Structures are given as structure tokens and as C-alpha cells.
């Protein structure tokens, strides 16, 4: 190559670099403008997993799919629903094995509750990590005593409800639900023509529901001890009522999740990896393309995995998002509240805890104070619940909270 050719290549490279930098900053500015112009999550926020934008009325044509920026390190090796199933963790060399619970019985119901002694706590935080979610200000809150499910609602428990009542979930009634692209089989994906406008890695999958989490060619046979997913708020509310329970208020959920510790990021403290050990099921790798499953799981984990918090609750943060009874607002006052129940009106409900799809770079919401929302009929691959009750329902086993 001659010196003049090298010179031209060099100049062309500089020009391309200039263009890339400018286009990128223009896109970032656009994202920030969109995010700050509304409290609605219809537009994806900067650093957002997009799971608050799931709405069947906000879909776009997938033809632009090739333009979606999947970032560096894109890899197909983590794709496929089998990666989220038990089958995928059977080798002794797999370092993730150490995070798995002992063998679980598929038939167990996982409906135990623990008594939560009421009290005062600090809800929210003063220095919000995601201000647009309304995490601040902190306020002193009192909640009365209640019982809380020790686990997220399992597939086994939800199946018991469906078998007793014939209940059809919103995902079944609509005929579809939202699934993240990387776990959908090629066979199913080829017929999907739409994507979520604000988060194109979420696709509406026909036939996806709690029995078929990744689409019609998947099942929950080996996941009866995993949390039920594709739950709309209405589904979660109906299930809890049937079980003699109810959805928690946001204050009850956060009080229970904090487990008796004040002003901590996580239920166990501020260190995400105490003693270099994972305590919850979130996303390691690069969202949304590469999930290394370093915490033991690509998809959901059994509801009794990892250590419980100080009140004996498992997987409050991570694994699946959990619905609350509160309607959504981001406006809070710094004043004392007694058993708050959220706004009187509004068409969205608060969900808490983040999910196995949360990564710090995109969705740092696996914190006690973090929060998000969806409309009442939205359902998704990472959306479930846990119930609470004012009195222990008949036939429900009570477990003692761990000794402090
Ligand atoms: Ca994980
Ligand atoms: Ca959870």
C-alpha cells in the first residue's frame, strides 16, 4: 500500500470516528430528553431494561431489527430456553452449581408464610440511583404486623389455583405475552413481526404464558419450584385472593424486604457480593445479549434458592419482579406515613425487586428502594408475585423467622 493510500485511509478513519462520536452523543441526548420529559415509561429511559415499557399497544414493526444496537460481545452461545432450565446445570465443572439449592421436590407447594412484626422503617432513599422512578425522598413509615409469603409464588402453587378454579391468565386471554428475544427459539421467532417500541429486545410471543414461559415450544415441567411468570397485576391479585391472602402494599413489601436493616441497598447490606458470594439471581454479562449465569442461573431459579433475609424471605430482590397493590406515582413527600396504600387513582401498579434480567448497567433495580411499574394487564417473562395476609390463612404452614 502506497504512502498516499495510507494517508487517505487514515483521514477516512478519522472522519468516520468523528461521525460515530457525534451520532452517539446525539442519540444519548435524545434518550435523555425523552426520559426527562415524562414520568411515563412508554419511552425507554437511558440505562433501562425496558420491562416497564411492555404494552401491547406500543409495538412496532420488527423490520428495523437489524439496526438494533446489541453492543459489543454479542454472542449466540447463551441463547435458547434450555439455558434457563435445570438441564443446563448438570455438569460438575459448572462453577454455578454451588449456588443451587439441594434437590427440590416438584410436588411441594411453597406456600409457607412468616409473621412480620410491624414497626417503623425508612422507605425510599434520599439520593436516588434512578430519580425518574420516584425512589426519593426517604420517609419514615409505620406498617402494622402481617404475614408474608416466604417465597415468590411458585408454578406449583399457581397450578393448584388454576386446577381449582379454571382461571385463565391475561396472557392466555390475549393469546400472547412478552419474552426477551435471546430465549425464544428460532422456530417461534421467525413468525414474530413486532417488537416493543422502546425496548426492541422484548418481543410479543403468541402462546407465551405461565405454562409456556419462552413460548409454545417451552414448558415448566422441570420448573414447578420456580416462580410463576407472565403474571399480570390482575392475575396476581386473583391468585392471592384465592389463597386467602392479598398483594402487599409497596410499604409492606419494602419493610419485609429490608428484613430489619435500615437504609441498606440490599436486604443483607450494602455489599452486593458479601464474601464474594452471590445472594440473588440477576444478570451477569452484557445486557441484553450475553448472560454468563455466574450466579447459577440464566433464567429463573427455584424460589428457595440463596440465603433468606433477616425476616426469612427468599428472593425478594432478583429472580422475578413482584407486584404490589399500590398504584404508581413518582411524587412522594418527606413526611411520616402510617400504613400507606398509594394513590387512589391511576392505571399502573408498582412492582418491586427487579428480576433475573436486571443488570447494573441497564436496570439497577434489584435494590430495596428501587421500583417500577406496568399497566394492570401487562405480563412478561420476568413478572411474578408474592402474597401477604393480615391473618394466617387456614391450612397455610407458618415458619419461624431466622434467629437474629
Ligand atoms: Ca442470573
Ligand atoms: Ca423477587
Amino acid at each position: 500500500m502506497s504512502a498516499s493510500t495510507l494517508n487517505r485511509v487514515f483521514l477516512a478513519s478519522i472522519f468516520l470516528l468523528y461521525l460515530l462520536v457525534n451520532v452517539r452523543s446525539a442519540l444519548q441526548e435524545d434518550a435523555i430528553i425523552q426520559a426527562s420529559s415524562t414520568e411515563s415509561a412508554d419511552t425507554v429511559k437511558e440505562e433501562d431494561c425496558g420491562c416497564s415499557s411492555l404494552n401491547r399497544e406500543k409495538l412496532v414493526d420488527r423490520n428495523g431489527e437489524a439496526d438494533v444496537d446489541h453492543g459489543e460481545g454479542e454472542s449466540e452461545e447463551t441463547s435458547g430456553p434450555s439455558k434457563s432450565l435445570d438441564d443446563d446445570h448438570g455438569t460438575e465443572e459448572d462453577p454455578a452449581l454451588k449456588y443451587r439449592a439441594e434437590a427440590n421436590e416438584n410436588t411441594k407447594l411453597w406456600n409457607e408464610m412468616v409473621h412480620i412484626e410491624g414497626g417503623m422503617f425508612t422507605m425510599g432513599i434520599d439520593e436516588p440511583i434512578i430519580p425518574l422512578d420516584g425512589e426519593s425522598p426517604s420517609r419514615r413509615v409505620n406498617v402494622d404486623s402481617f404475614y408474608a409469603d416466604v417465597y415468590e409464588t411458585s408454578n406449583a402453587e399457581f397450578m393448584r389455583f388454576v386446577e381449582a378454579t379454571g382461571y385463565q391468565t391475561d396472557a392466555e386471554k390475549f393469546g400472547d405475552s412478552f419474552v426477551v428475544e435471546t430465549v425464544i427459539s428460532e422456530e417461534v421467532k421467525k413468525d414474530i413481526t413486532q417488537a416493543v417500541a422502546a425496548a426492541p429486545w422484548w418481543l410479543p410471543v403468541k402462546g407465551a404464558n405461565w405454562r409456556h414461559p419462552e413460548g409454545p415450544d417451552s414448558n415448566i415441567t422441570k420448573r414447578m419450584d420456580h416462580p410463576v411468570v407472565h403474571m399480570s397485576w390482575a392475575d396476581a391479585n386473583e391468585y392471592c385472593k384465592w389463597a386467602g391472602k392479598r398483594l402487599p402494599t409497596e410499604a409492606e413489601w419494602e419493610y419485609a424486604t429490608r428484613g430489619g436493616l435500615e437504609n441498606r441497598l440490599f436486604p443483607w447490606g450494602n455489599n452486593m457480593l458479601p464474601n464474594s458470594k452471590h445472594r440473588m439471581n440477576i444478570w451477569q454479562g452484557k445486557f441484553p445479549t450475553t448472560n454468563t449465569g455466574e450466579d447459577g442461573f440464566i433464567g429463573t431459579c427455584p424460589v428457595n434458592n440463596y440465603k433468606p433475609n433477616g425476616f426469612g424471605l427468599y428472593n425478594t430482590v432478583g429472580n422475578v419482579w413482584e407486584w404490589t397493590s399500590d398504584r404508581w406515582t413518582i411524587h412522594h413527600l418527606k413526611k411520616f406515613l402510617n400504613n400507606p396504600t398509594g394513590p387512589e387513582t391511576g392505571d399502573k401498579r408498582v412492582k418491586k425487586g427487579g428480576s433475573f434480567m436486571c443488570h447494573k448497567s441497564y436496570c439497577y433495580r434489584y435494590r430495596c428502594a428501587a421500583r417500577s411499574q406496568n399497566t394492570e394487564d401487562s405480563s412478561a417473562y420476568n413478572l411474578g408475585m408474592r402474597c401477604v395476609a393480615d391473618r394466617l390463612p387456614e391450612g397455610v404452614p407458618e415458619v419461624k423467622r431466622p434467629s437474629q
Side-chain angles (χ1 to χ4, degrees):
M1 198 178 284
S2 71
S4 63
T5 309
L6 274 174
N7 202 24
R8 279 201 294 275
V9 168
F10 176 73
L11 286 173
S13 303
I14 294 290
F15 181 64
L16 272 175
L17 190 62
Y18 170 80
L19 274 181
L20 276 172
V21 166
N22 277 283
V23 166
R24 188 166 182 273
S25 45
L27 285 173
Q28 284 176 336
E29 277 171 25
D30 186 47
I32 292 165
I33 288 164
Q34 285 187 5
S36 59
S37 63
T38 174
E39 77 170 61
S40 156
D42 291 344
T43 51
V44 74
K45 299 163 193 164
E46 189 183 35
E47 298 189 347
D48 194 340
C49 59
C51 68
S52 59
S53 308
L54 304 178
N55 187 325
R56 293 181 178 88
E57 294 167 8
K58 306 275 182 186
L59 299 174
V60 292
D61 201 321
R62 277 188 78 215
N63 289 339
E65 181 191 38
D67 298 329
V68 174
D69 177 11
H70 284 271
E72 295 168 10
E74 182 170 3
S75 165
E76 293 301 317
E77 66 183 2
T78 58
S79 297
S82 63
K83 278 285 181 182
S84 66
L85 307 184
D86 288 351
D87 297 343
D88 198 45
H89 297 277
T91 57
E92 283 187 4
E93 315 75 82
D94 188 346
L97 275 173
K98 64 185 175 187
Y99 295 112
R100 297 184 62 77
E102 295 304 312
N104 298 302
E105 305 165 33
N106 274 348
T107 52
K108 188 171 164 15
L109 293 175
W110 309 102
N111 64 344
E112 297 96 320
M113 301 190 92
V114 65
H115 185 253
I116 308 278
E117 190 72 38
M120 295 270 287
F121 79 111
T122 303
M123 185 172 176
I125 49 176
D126 283 324
E127 294 177 359
I129 291 171
I130 308 179
L132 290 168
D133 283 351
E135 296 174 359
S136 67
S138 70
R139 55 270 184 203
R140 293 293 285 170
V141 169
N142 179 68
V143 294
D144 292 342
S145 298
F146 60 101
Y147 288 85
D149 277 352
V150 170
Y151 310 112
E152 296 159 326
T153 303
S154 66
N155 281 317
E157 261 293 285
F158 197 75
M159 182 168 280
R160 198 160 67 99
F161 162 56
V162 170
E163 285 177 350
T165 62
Y167 182 81
Q168 273 216 315
T169 61
D170 274 329
E172 289 166 297
K173 284 186 269 189
F174 280 108
D176 62 28
S177 189
F178 291 104
V179 184
V180 67
E181 183 178 0
T182 49
V183 301
I184 306 168
S185 71
E186 292 304 319
E187 183 66 20
V188 170
K189 214 185 304 185
K190 72 179 169 46
D191 294 327
I192 301 173
T193 57
Q194 293 179 303
V196 174
W201 48 87
W202 280 107
L203 306 183
V205 176
K206 284 192 172 56
N209 57 52
W210 72 279
R211 292 179 192 272
H212 306 289
E214 291 87 15
D217 56 355
S218 64
N219 65 64
I220 54 170
T221 307
K222 294 182 178 177
R223 288 180 277 180
M224 296 309 288
D225 56 348
H226 285 225
V228 65
V229 293
H230 292 292
M231 290 290 105
S232 71
W233 183 88
D235 299 332
N237 192 43
E238 284 303 311
Y239 164 76
C240 289
K241 280 199 295 188
W242 172 83
K245 306 174 182 180
R246 61 177 172 80
L247 284 172
T249 65
E250 181 179 5
E252 287 171 333
W253 189 96
E254 191 168 323
Y255 179 72
T257 290
R258 289 182 180 278
L261 299 177
E262 277 278 312
N263 295 313
R264 297 291 193 277
L265 284 173
F266 308 112
W268 54 87
N270 285 329
N271 183 357
M272 195 176 89
L273 293 171
N275 301 317
S276 302
K277 286 195 170 65
H278 286 281
R279 291 287 302 266
M280 62 183 156
N281 182 16
I282 54 173
W283 184 294
Q284 292 88 37
K286 188 169 178 65
F287 187 87
T289 52
T290 311
N291 187 345
T292 64
E294 188 187 296
D295 58 20
F297 302 90
I298 300 287
T300 54
C301 70
V303 294
N304 67 334
N305 216 83
Y306 305 107
K307 279 176 71 175
N309 75 355
F311 288 167
L313 306 186
Y314 291 76
N315 291 301
T316 50
V317 290
N319 214 21
V320 291
W321 281 101
E322 299 173 23
W323 284 110
T324 75
S325 56
D326 286 26
R327 291 187 171 85
W328 176 253
T329 180
I330 61 167
H331 304 294
H332 308 290
L333 298 175
K334 196 172 180 64
K335 66 171 190 180
F336 170 76
L337 294 167
N338 188 34
N339 294 306
T341 55
E344 291 288 311
T345 57
D347 61 353
K348 292 169 179 167
R349 300 279 180 167
V350 177
K351 61 180 182 179
K352 296 282 279 186
S355 80
F356 65 91
M357 287 180 56
C358 283
H359 183 275
K360 189 170 183 179
S361 70
Y362 268 80
C363 186
Y364 188 22
R365 293 191 174 88
Y366 40 87
R367 294 171 288 111
C368 303
R371 54 205 301 275
S372 189
Q373 52 72 35
N374 284 117
T375 53
E376 291 183 3
D377 62 4
S378 296
S379 60
Y381 185 53
N382 60 352
L383 197 42
M385 70 282 199
R386 115 178 29 228
C387 315
V388 299
D390 297 314
R391 286 170 294 282
L392 190 69
E394 196 175 333
V396 170
E398 180 180 359
V399 298
K400 295 293 173 210
R401 61 181 280 188
S403 52
Q404 300 296 297

